[in-house]
Amino acid sequence: MVVLATKLYVEGDARQRSLDSLRSLVDNEVGDLDVEFELGVRHDDFPSVTIEGDDATVARNVLGEEFGEIVPDLEAGETYVGTLESWDDDGFVLDAGQGDGVRIPTDELGLGQGTASQIRERYGLVQHMPLEFVYGGDDEPSRLAEEAQDRLYEWTRGNGRLNVNSATRAEVRATLNRAGHAQDYVTVERLGLLEQSVICTEDTDPPGLLASVGEYLPAELRCVVP
């Protein structure tokens, strides 16, 4: 079994649609392998994939690489993926399946000046989005991994983004198109199962796009302005 580092925290019909979306994503990744899989959802909303078949080990590795993996124990100095659970002026708390979460102090974010709350706004980070981190253990603070830092810095050098949570990639694309913004974005990048990043075209103003589509998306929306 592999536990994916992306959360399924919506309820009702949205939960079933999200599960169906995840099933399709998993099938896209491992459907050509000699395996059968079954989806489940843990009490902490992390989805699990039970895999059987001759290629089970390969399939587990593929899914861990694509989504990140929640593991039972963290080792100091190793890189893992957690989801952005909460934040305050002093840092981020990432949920890596370890109960109280992993705190990343502001000084260990590596994302420039300001409080952690200000940094979150600057980079348009929505709750539950996956982020790589290096676990510090008992003796050192945990820190945001270079992979995450580089990706977020790159966001500020592009055309701008609108980040969304609580919706699948297909739902975000359908909403943008229905609201008349089919020409205003390049693509919708999947950050997690329910966290998406709309990459704007050069002439699109991210705050303007947020104002236009916000009423159609019952979600948290944050802009990245280059």
Side-chain angles (χ1 to χ4, degrees), residues 8 11 22 31 40 46 74 92-93 95 99 102 104 108 117 151 163 181 186 201 219:
L8 203 158
E11 299 296 338
L22 179 60
F46 285 111
L74 304 180
F92 292 170
V93 175
D95 189 348
V102 177
I104 313 292
E108 300 296 336
S117 297
R151 184 171 71 254
N163 293 335
H181 292 286
V186 177
T201 62

Side-chain angles (χ1 to χ4, degrees), residues 10 15 48-49 51 65 72 78 83 104 108 156 189 198 203:
V10 292
R15 190 177 183 88
S48 62
V49 187
I51 306 172
E65 181 69 23
E78 295 297 321
T83 60
I104 313 292
E108 300 296 336
T156 64
E189 178 183 343
V198 180
D203 298 327

Side-chain angles (χ1 to χ4, degrees), residues 39-50:
L39 294 181
V41 183
R42 298 196 330 179
H43 68 282
D44 53 6
D45 292 331
F46 285 111
S48 62
V49 187
T50 302

Side-chain angles (χ1 to χ4, degrees), residues 6 19 53 55 60 65 70 81 92 112 114 118 121 141 148 154 179 183 199 202 212-213:
T6 185
L19 270 173
D55 294 333
R60 284 191 288 268
E65 181 69 23
I70 297 299
V81 180
F92 292 170
Q118 291 169 335
E121 291 291 337
E154 191 62 31
Q183 306 303 316
I199 302 176
E202 184 177 0
S212 179
V213 304

Side-chain angles (χ1 to χ4, degrees), residues 73-80 134-140 142-143:
D73 299 299
L74 304 180
E75 296 184 12
E78 295 297 321
T79 300
Y80 302 96
V134 179
Y135 183 60
D138 296 331
D139 300 325
E140 298 289 338
S142 298
R143 66 183 189 275

Side-chain angles (χ1 to χ4, degrees), residues 129-194:
M129 69 171 285
L131 291 168
E132 299 90 348
F133 69 95
V134 179
Y135 183 60
D138 296 331
D139 300 325
E140 298 289 338
S142 298
R143 66 183 189 275
L144 203 62
E146 290 183 4
E147 300 95 308
Q149 296 170 359
D150 291 345
R151 184 171 71 254
L152 297 179
Y153 272 122
E154 191 62 31
W155 284 4
T156 64
R157 302 186 183 104
N159 294 332
R161 291 172 177 254
L162 175 63
N163 293 335
V164 182
N165 70 7
S166 303
T168 65
R169 184 171 183 262
E171 289 169 341
V172 171
R173 292 183 65 177
T175 299
L176 289 167
N177 296 341
R178 187 166 58 247
H181 292 286
Q183 306 303 316
D184 296 328
Y185 69 98
V186 177
T187 189
V188 178
E189 178 183 343
R190 180 171 57 81
L191 305 178
L193 176 62
L194 294 171

Side-chain angles (χ1 to χ4, degrees), residues 31-74:
D32 292 335
L33 299 175
D34 184 11
V35 295
E36 295 182 355
F37 67 87
E38 182 177 349
L39 294 181
V41 183
R42 298 196 330 179
H43 68 282
D44 53 6
D45 292 331
F46 285 111
S48 62
V49 187
T50 302
I51 306 172
E52 296 182 351
D54 291 344
D55 294 333
T57 299
V58 175
R60 284 191 288 268
N61 290 339
V62 167
L63 294 178
E65 181 69 23
E66 176 65 21
F67 292 95
E69 183 178 0
I70 297 299
V71 298
D73 299 299
L74 304 180

